[in-house]
Amino acid sequence: MVTKAEQRERTREEILRIATRRFAESGYAGVALEDLVAEAGLTRGALYHHFGSKQGLFAAVIERAQFAVAEAVEHAAAVVAAPLDAFLAGCRAFLEASLAPEVRRILLVDGPAVLGWGDWRDGDLESSARLLDAGVAELAEAGLIRARSLGTVATMISGALNEVAIANATAAHPERGIDDAVATLARMIGGLSPRADPGFAQPSAP
Amino acid sequence: MVTKAEQRERTREEILRIATRRFAESGYAGVALEDLVAEAGLTRGALYHHFGSKQGLFAAVIERAQFAVAEAVEHAAAVVAAPLDAFLAGCRAFLEASLAPEVRRILLVDGPAVLGWGDWRDGDLESSARLLDAGVAELAEAGLIRARSLGTVATMISGALNEVAIANATAAHPERGIDDAVATLARMIGGLSPRADPGFAQPSAP
DNA sequence: TCGACATACATACAGGATGTATGTATCGGA
DNA sequence: TCCGATACATACATCCTGTATGTATGTCGA
């Protein structure tokens, strides 16, 4: 006999698996829930019982993807000692994780549009963005960068990485693109060093 | 008597105006075409006659928004002589234009999800992205930056600006956020200078 | 100027998708 | 063993897109 908790977990897991693949393949709007659950041998009743709505299902799918990416980033950064190298390793891990279609399309393209940017960002703040903010803060504490607004720095790096992740996915040699991006990012961060002398006039602060 | 060309132009214009506002307010999926055309005193027949589909209407709305942004960027950059200052002025203009909700939500959030990132990027390449690529190329020609892949640089700056534009829109003092972003961008570009000595090991090129 | 054609739009209908209300069988605990 | 909760199915209401068709008005050549 299978317990109810087991049954619940199995069904949720199965639906999430199929949903992840379908959303990645066809996009949020291109997926019909009827087809989705049919593949699992279920009906939409099960889906609405467990996830409440199509958005609810999508949110659950996103949450898992965000968690997986965050885990990869955290692990990659943790095995490196120097703050900057750890930060760059984390960024590289993010770009590599984003090669998976379920990350690219679901998390980066459809995510903000379906959940609304605010909610999407809230979820992101609990995973990748949190790590990025922490990483930027560490760089600042280590004296490697200085900025009026560390939040702006984190936002810009986040956006830069997201865009590279999407653009890079369809490239012929994604690994090469990742190398370029990480190298460029390292030099850009170098420009934020307190010692950096850009050698040209800065816009004056208000 | 009103000519058919006039009538056509008027109707298209009116629908585009209303559609722009509605898409910005409620997002692509949240807009029902029936309500939209009712506001113009028309029926969906007119809409489908002129735009073919909901996506077609959205694409037309996006095209206009992209054109308006590109125009603002181009003008801002054109009135400044020095390459770097012109580039930064263009970026600032982009951030300021993005404060308008129809730019933020339609162009930056819903755009890639609705049209697909590829098509969205293609449209972007004909407006803002083209200017950005050109700007980055100019910086390189002026010897201000050097990079293995200028395309990667442009992609990263584009993503950084987009993210700041969205994040900044809900901020208490957007103008302050724009100043921070432009200042940070200037220093990051400084890090891409051939003369920049980051003072730490770079990842080796393959 | 007059008639045929094209265009701008309205109307009607088909199809599919989400969401909800309700029914049913099974599991778990008292 | 019995009762409630849970997991899921079924049936229905609603909405929205897209298309096919109809109609009136402008356009243009004979």
Side-chain angles (χ1 to χ4, degrees):
Chain A
M1 175 180 91
V2 42
T3 85
K4 278 218 163 162
E6 274 174 356
Q7 185 65 28
R8 176 183 180 83
E9 206 49 38
R10 276 190 209 170
T11 303
R12 283 182 60 100
E13 201 69 19
E14 179 75 355
I15 293 179
L16 281 175
R17 257 193 40 209
I18 300 173
T20 300
R21 181 164 46 79
R22 298 248 176 162
F23 282 142
E25 282 171 6
S26 314
Y28 179 78
V31 171
L33 300 183
E34 188 67 47
D35 293 358
L36 202 163
V37 291
E39 185 176 331
L42 299 167
T43 68
R44 290 183 306 119
L47 196 155
Y48 277 90
H49 175 68
H50 286 292
F51 299 100
S53 70
K54 189 177 184 180
Q55 271 203 30
L57 172 62
F58 189 75
V61 168
I62 276 215
E63 194 178 0
R64 293 184 113 213
Q66 282 176 331
F67 182 79
V69 171
E71 212 172 34
V73 169
E74 198 157 19
H75 178 265
V79 299
V80 178
L84 180 62
D85 290 340
F87 185 80
L88 293 176
C91 292
R92 174 178 290 274
F94 174 79
L95 292 177
E96 282 167 354
S98 300
L99 290 179
E102 67 260 29
V103 173
R104 197 168 66 247
R105 174 111 199 213
I106 296 177
L107 217 146
L108 301 179
V109 177
D110 282 354
V114 173
L115 300 182
W117 190 82
D119 286 354
W120 175 81
R121 172 75 180 173
D122 289 346
D124 203 36
L125 274 177
E126 294 169 9
S127 54
S128 308
R130 173 178 54 84
L131 297 173
L132 212 154
D133 283 349
V136 168
E138 266 189 61
L139 293 180
E141 282 165 22
L144 290 167
I145 67 173
R146 192 172 55 190
R148 273 218 311 271
S149 165
L150 289 179
T152 300
V153 172
T155 298
M156 292 177 75
I157 294 178
S158 171
L161 290 177
N162 287 354
E163 193 82 359
V164 168
I166 302 176
N168 198 45
T170 57
H173 301 291
E175 280 298 331
R176 175 65 181 267
I178 292 180
D179 287 337
D180 283 345
V182 174
T184 303
L185 179 61
R187 296 178 65 202
M188 283 178 161
I189 292 176
L192 299 178
S193 158
R195 312 193 292 95
D197 172 17
F200 44 75
Q202 297 279 337
S204 61
Chain B
M1 176 181 89
V2 45
T3 84
K4 279 219 162 162
E6 274 174 356
Q7 185 66 25
R8 175 184 181 82
E9 205 49 39
R10 275 190 210 170
T11 301
R12 282 182 60 100
E13 201 69 21
E14 179 75 354
I15 292 179
L16 281 176
R17 256 192 41 208
I18 299 174
T20 301
R21 180 164 44 78
R22 297 247 175 164
F23 282 143
E25 283 171 4
S26 314
Y28 179 77
V31 171
L33 299 183
E34 188 68 47
D35 292 359
L36 201 163
V37 291
E39 186 176 331
L42 300 167
T43 68
R44 290 183 306 120
L47 196 156
Y48 277 91
H49 176 67
H50 287 292
F51 299 100
S53 69
K54 189 178 184 180
Q55 270 202 31
L57 172 62
F58 189 76
V61 168
I62 277 216
E63 194 178 0
R64 295 185 111 212
Q66 281 176 330
F67 182 80
V69 170
E71 212 173 33
V73 169
E74 198 157 19
H75 178 264
V79 299
V80 178
L84 180 61
D85 290 340
F87 185 79
L88 293 176
C91 292
R92 174 178 290 275
F94 174 78
L95 293 177
E96 282 167 355
S98 300
L99 289 179
E102 68 261 28
V103 174
R104 197 169 65 248
R105 173 109 198 215
I106 296 177
L107 217 148
L108 302 179
V109 177
D110 283 353
V114 172
L115 301 182
W117 190 82
D119 287 353
W120 175 81
R121 172 78 180 170
D122 288 346
D124 203 36
L125 274 177
E126 294 170 8
S127 53
S128 307
R130 172 179 53 84
L131 297 172
L132 212 154
D133 283 349
V136 168
E138 268 189 60
L139 293 180
E141 284 166 22
L144 291 167
I145 66 172
R146 191 171 56 191
R148 274 216 312 268
S149 164
L150 289 179
T152 299
V153 172
T155 300
M156 292 179 74
I157 293 177
S158 172
L161 290 178
N162 287 354
E163 193 82 0
V164 167
I166 303 176
N168 198 44
T170 57
H173 302 292
E175 278 301 331
R176 174 65 181 267
I178 292 179
D179 288 336
D180 283 344
V182 174
T184 302
L185 178 62
R187 295 179 64 203
M188 283 177 161
I189 291 176
L192 299 178
S193 161
R195 310 194 291 98
D197 172 18
F200 45 75
Q202 297 277 338
S204 62

